[in-house]
Amino acid sequence: MFQDILDFLIKFGPWGLFIHAFADAVIFPVPAFFLQVSLSIMHPQNALWLATYGFIGCLLGTPFGYLIGKLLGKSVLYKILKKEWIDAATNMFQKNGEAAILIGSFTPVPFKVFTILSGCLNFPLWRLLAYAAIGRATKFYVVGTLFYLYGNAAEGMVKDVSLYIALIAVPLLLVGVFIKRKRKRRKMEQEKLAESNPVVMEEKIREQTSDQTPSA
C-alpha cells in the first residue's frame, strides 16, 4: 500500500516530495528520505531544489504533528509505528528534548515520532520548529548536495548519510548540552546564594568585577 502511495507521489516531482515531507512530519510512516533519493536519482541537476521542497514541507507539517500529540497523546503513535522507535524517542526526550529533536531529525526513526511526542510532553512549539529546522535542513541538503555534485553515483553514499551526520553531530550536541547544563547549574547556585545571603553574593560579584577590570 505504501509503495503505491510513493509511486503516485513520485509522478508529481518536487510537489510530491513536498506532500510526502509534510505527511512525514504528521502521520505517514515512511520517511521522506526515500522519495527524495528516488527523485534525485531521476533528476540530479534539481537535487537542491528537491531538498528545498522537502525541507519546507517538513517544517509546515511539524506544527500539525505537534497538535496531534497535544490532542490525542502518545497512543496514536503505537497504532502506526514500531514500539521500539517510540520507546527510544521517548527515552531521548526525557534526557534532553533539544538534543532528541536534533538527533531525531537525521536518524531512521520517522520524524513524526518527535513532532507528536513534543506535543504529548508539552515541549515548546517554537523550540521544536527551531531545532527541527536545523536538523532537517542538514539531512535534506546533505542528500541534495551529494546528488547535485556526484549525480547517480551518490546513491551509494546517501545510504549511510544518517550515520555520518550522527558521528559528527552527536559529539557536538553532547558538548553543547554539557555547557548549557553547567551554565544553568551555576546560575541556580548563584540565585540560591543570593536568596540565602545577599551580602555575600554582592561581595562575590564585586570581586569578580574587580578581577575583570584591567589594572592601570
Side-chain angles (χ1 to χ4, degrees), residues 113-135:
V113 173
F114 297 92
T115 61
I116 294 175
L117 272 180
S118 296
C120 294
L121 303 176
N122 294 314
F123 189 82
L125 178 59
W126 70 269
R127 286 190 183 181
L128 170 64
L129 288 169
Y131 288 107
I134 297 170

Side-chain angles (χ1 to χ4, degrees), residues 97-215:
E98 291 92 343
I101 295 168
L102 281 171
I103 295 172
S105 296
F106 41 75
T107 60
V109 178
F111 190 59
K112 72 199 61 56
V113 173
F114 297 92
T115 61
I116 294 175
L117 272 180
S118 296
C120 294
L121 303 176
N122 294 314
F123 189 82
L125 178 59
W126 70 269
R127 286 190 183 181
L128 170 64
L129 288 169
Y131 288 107
I134 297 170
R136 299 304 277 176
T138 301
K139 184 164 186 178
F140 275 112
Y141 282 103
V142 166
V143 173
T145 300
L146 287 174
F147 274 104
Y148 183 76
L149 294 176
Y150 299 103
N152 291 345
E155 183 180 2
M157 304 177 190
V158 299
K159 291 179 180 178
D160 297 320
V161 68
S162 296
L163 175 61
Y164 297 143
I165 296 174
L167 288 174
I168 297 171
V170 170
L172 295 176
L173 286 172
L174 292 176
V175 171
V177 169
F178 174 77
I179 294 173
K180 181 180 177 182
R181 288 184 176 178
K182 191 173 182 180
R183 287 179 178 176
K184 187 176 181 181
R185 192 181 301 115
R186 184 181 301 171
K187 185 178 179 181
M188 290 175 64
E189 289 175 355
Q190 290 177 347
E191 290 175 353
K192 288 180 180 179
L193 183 60
E195 291 175 0
S196 60
N197 198 331
V199 177
V200 175
M201 187 61 188
E202 287 178 8
E203 291 178 354
K204 190 173 181 180
I205 294 174
R206 198 178 299 116
E207 289 175 2
Q208 291 177 350
T209 305
S210 62
D211 291 339
Q212 294 174 359
T213 305
S215 57

Side-chain angles (χ1 to χ4, degrees), residues 11-31:
K11 297 176 182 177
F12 296 92
W15 286 108
L17 179 58
F18 175 90
I19 295 170
H20 189 170
F22 183 98
D24 179 26
V26 182
I27 200 73
F28 194 58
V30 180

